Amino acid sequence: MDEISWQEDGRDHRVRWRSESGAPPPRRVVIADDETRADDAFRLASEGTALLWRGDFQNARQLLQAMARRIDRPPRRRRNKPEPSQVQAFHLHRQARAQRARTLGMLLIPFTPGHVIPLRRAPDVQDACTEAYGQDDQPYVTSLRELLGLVGAHEWREKGVPIPALGGDRIHPHYGVFSPIRGEYVDLVGEAPLPPTKTAFDVGTGTGVLAAVLARRGIDHVVATDQDPRALACAQENLKRLGAEVEVIQADLFPDGHAGLIVCNPPWVPAKPSSPLEHAVYDPGGRMLRGFLSGLAGHLEPDGEGWLILSDLAEHLGLRTRDDLLALFEASGLKVAGRLDTRPRHPRATDPDDPLHAARAAEVTSLWRLTAR
């Protein structure tokens, strides 16, 4: 169990450290309050010194915003400096985001037992923290940035995400489970022609949204798998709320047996995640993609189909080529029976100020219909 230590009022203090991102406890900690200036806070955080907040909670939020503005100032462009390639831009963007997260993660909030913040004007965050951390009867410290993420996730879980492919019914994502706010990939599963089968597998189900769509489309027996306990709990809750008869199983990729339809929406980018929460987007070495493709033919019923839902963003970033993907199909004993494409509808796809704008603007999400050779 990690602990964080500091000196305050002439005494040494030590308490448990919480970080869902896996960040280590800061080595240097100073006390900060309403008198702390944003420039001083930003300088200390940039140098690796954490600030444990003792002032008004709402002032802490304002300080965090002020620190973020200092980080997000556009850098000065050097004359005659060549534009980076797409893959260089991607890695530079990732480095900048990681540094931003580290710096903003240096503003810390104390908790007393029961997930209570002992600060003026502090909100009640017990439900949000319990959903992410579970019950807790010990004091701890975490970053304000992480706390705000917990609160935001709790709000999404409360109101849910409307899914057109489910007739507007809502999916309620749990903290740490990829939210289907990018609905275009769900629409593809709702529109693709179904093969004649009574059984389907949803591999890596997450919130359970694709399993729910398959059940709504009339497949008698849907099996949803995931290896993350949070995802399994989330899927079970959503599927029960929707009245979808789906079997939810903990498994690394495939369940036992065979199916006439096997669906998978793996992480799109073959790069290392910087935190556990990024595993839904980043797939180091394309592990899940490769695992799904290599095992697909062995789990398909005769004349069955595997649906791979995959963005080509990695191709536009120079992290994978289309030939690489087609070679994976070939090596896995698969052939392409068809493909459905759609364009992303998220705001960053049309934001010219996004560092990865060129790649995002060209992005296409595809549903590959694969069969065994």
Side-chain angles (χ1 to χ4, degrees):
M1 179 179 66
D2 289 332
E3 291 185 325
I4 186 171
S5 59
W6 70 95
Q7 282 194 335
E8 187 176 5
D9 298 329
R11 295 171 50 200
D12 291 333
H13 296 261
R14 184 178 296 273
V15 74
R16 192 154 42 106
W17 167 251
R18 274 196 178 278
S19 173
E20 283 295 302
S21 67
R27 294 182 179 181
R28 299 186 301 277
V29 180
V30 298
I31 302 300
D33 57 25
D34 301 330
E35 302 300 319
T36 301
R37 297 172 62 249
D39 285 338
D40 295 334
F42 177 62
R43 175 180 55 79
L44 288 167
S46 300
E47 295 170 351
T49 297
L51 299 96
L52 179 59
W53 192 254
R54 293 302 193 196
D56 180 273
F57 180 85
Q58 301 305 326
N59 288 346
R61 292 192 61 167
Q62 292 179 10
L63 178 62
L64 187 68
Q65 293 168 359
M67 293 168 63
R69 288 195 296 270
R70 284 157 173 76
I71 295 174
D72 296 337
R73 287 171 180 162
R76 294 180 179 178
R77 292 193 175 184
R78 297 180 183 177
R79 293 180 180 178
N80 302 322
K81 185 177 181 180
E83 288 292 325
S85 66
Q86 281 295 326
V87 68
Q88 288 172 329
F90 169 73
H91 289 300
L92 289 171
H93 174 67
R94 294 278 290 153
Q95 290 172 7
R97 298 297 296 179
Q99 181 59 45
R100 185 183 193 275
R102 283 193 295 270
T103 301
L104 295 181
M106 289 292 174
L107 184 55
L108 312 181
I109 298 293
F111 281 80
T112 58
H115 304 301
V116 176
I117 304 173
L119 301 174
R120 296 189 307 278
R121 292 202 295 166
D124 181 350
V125 296
Q126 290 175 281
D127 289 345
C129 291
T130 300
E131 287 171 357
Y133 298 146
Q135 298 290 339
D136 200 325
D137 60 358
Q138 298 294 321
Y140 63 90
V141 167
T142 193
S143 80
L144 175 57
R145 183 174 184 270
E146 177 166 307
L147 171 63
L148 296 178
L150 297 184
V151 172
H154 172 69
E155 292 171 353
W156 274 113
R157 179 170 176 173
E158 286 289 300
K159 68 180 182 180
V161 180
I163 305 296
L166 293 174
D169 286 345
R170 292 174 180 266
I171 286 289
H172 297 258
H174 291 195
Y175 179 73
V177 182
F178 186 70
S179 174
I181 52 175
R182 284 190 56 168
E184 65 266 14
Y185 75 96
V186 183
D187 293 342
L188 289 175
V189 174
E191 297 164 1
L194 287 173
T197 183
K198 294 183 177 181
T199 302
F201 297 161
D202 175 20
V203 175
T205 192
T207 62
V209 62
L210 299 185
V213 171
L214 296 175
R216 284 279 180 93
R217 296 194 66 186
I219 295 181
D220 294 338
H221 184 207
V222 180
V223 181
T225 72
D226 212 294
Q227 60 179 352
D228 180 7
R230 279 179 171 164
L232 293 168
C234 180
Q236 288 172 334
E237 183 180 296
N238 280 309
L239 293 165
K240 181 179 180 180
R241 181 187 293 109
L242 293 168
E245 295 292 332
V246 174
E247 184 179 3
V248 180
I249 295 175
Q250 185 168 21
D252 184 5
L253 297 177
F254 299 93
D256 294 334
H258 299 79
L261 175 61
I262 304 179
V263 176
C264 184
N265 174 38
W268 298 336
V269 182
K272 183 179 179 181
S274 61
S275 73
L277 302 182
E278 290 190 341
H279 281 282
V281 178
Y282 297 99
D283 183 19
R287 174 196 171 276
M288 185 174 179
L289 173 63
R290 293 173 181 275
F292 172 70
L293 293 175
S294 64
L296 178 58
H299 286 85
L300 282 175
E301 294 174 351
D303 301 321
E305 287 188 14
W307 289 359
L308 172 67
I309 302 100
L310 193 68
S311 159
D312 66 356
L313 182 64
E315 297 175 19
H316 298 294
L317 292 173
L319 302 173
R320 181 174 57 228
T321 69
R322 178 56 55 92
D323 286 344
D324 291 337
L325 183 62
L326 297 178
L328 280 175
F329 295 164
E330 178 77 22
S332 301
L334 302 168
K335 61 182 179 181
V336 178
R339 193 181 83 209
L340 282 73
D341 296 333
T342 187
R343 290 279 185 177
R345 299 188 293 267
H346 59 88
R348 286 190 294 181
T350 56
D351 180 7
D353 294 327
D354 189 298
L356 306 180
H357 171 68
R360 295 195 198 279
E363 181 184 5
V364 172
T365 299
S366 300
L367 185 152
W368 297 85
R369 296 174 51 221
L370 306 171
T371 59
R373 289 187 176 277

